[in-house]
Amino acid sequence: TQLLEQSPQFLSIQEGENLTVYCNSSSVFSSLQWYRQEPGEGPVLLVTVVTGGEVKKLKRLTFQFGDARKDSSLHITAAQTGDTGLYLCAGGRRALTFGSGTRLQVQP
Amino acid sequence: GAVVSQHPSRVICKSGTSVKIECRSLDFQATTMFWYRQFPKQSLMLMATSNEGSKATYEQGVEKDKFLINHASLTLSTLTVTSAHPEDSSFYICSAKARLVAHDTQYFGPGTRLTVL
């Protein structure tokens, strides 16, 4: 079973601050996805990273896939209140295994 | 982008009744659909994998006779919670994998909140 551990589990910051969320595994993944989920809604795909060492940017969000494809990180620059939500990494060949999630609260 | 819908979005039922939840891929054909369950403040847990025209594959610990899955077409999968009990109350989310999409990307429905009284 491929397990994904996310850290931190919870993060409360002020608007304008930067933050990084980590997703780690002892297994190699062919790809990893990052999702954001808001209360009462399904996860929304943010990005898929495929190549080891790959860096993808989505406005203020920067996603990196580790060289060995066992870990990934999400960095948010100048967080906004609209970034509040549950961030999930996920990977798997067929069915997705989800990380434990990082709950981000951005205070105005 | 690919859109997945779920119906109903919320359902409240009495203990002992059965509830059916539909998952549809609206603008693409889904070779495989997945059903997840999410308890409050927890991550998503895979319940079963559903392939069109064949039996679903259930994860360990998920009772196949209690959670009936039917995948009758490339755009529709249903999950029926039979003889529901309060401990089945949860947020049920489906996802669909598009036939022509590379890698392991799945598109998620908006979820169904089930409350069993």
Side-chain angles (χ1 to χ4, degrees), chain B residues 2-24:
Chain B
V3 179
V4 176
S5 71
Q6 276 185 244
H7 178 79
S9 58
R10 288 177 178 271
V11 58
I12 300 173
C13 68
K14 291 182 180 180
S15 187
T17 60
S18 294
V19 175
K20 181 185 281 189
I21 302 170
E22 291 187 350
C23 175
R24 293 181 186 272

Side-chain angles (χ1 to χ4, degrees), chain A residues 30-31 33 35 37 39-45 48 50 86 88 91-101 103, chain B residues 32 34 36 38 40-46 49 51 57 59 91 93 97 103-111 113:
Chain A
S30 58
S31 66
Q33 288 85 50
Y35 293 84
Q37 184 183 26
E41 298 181 13
V44 174
L45 178 66
T48 299
V50 179
L86 177 66
L88 297 159
R93 190 120 189 98
R94 205 172 138 71
L96 287 176
T97 297
F98 278 86
S100 49
R103 196 165 295 277
Chain B
T32 307
F34 304 88
Y36 295 83
Q38 185 177 31
K41 298 189 176 181
Q42 293 187 21
S43 188
L44 281 72
M45 296 296 294
L46 179 66
T49 301
N51 293 298
T57 303
E59 294 299 300
F91 194 49
I93 307 172
K97 189 171 180 181
H103 316 305
D104 308 307
T105 302
Q106 295 178 24
Y107 300 95
F108 285 81
R113 171 78 58 195

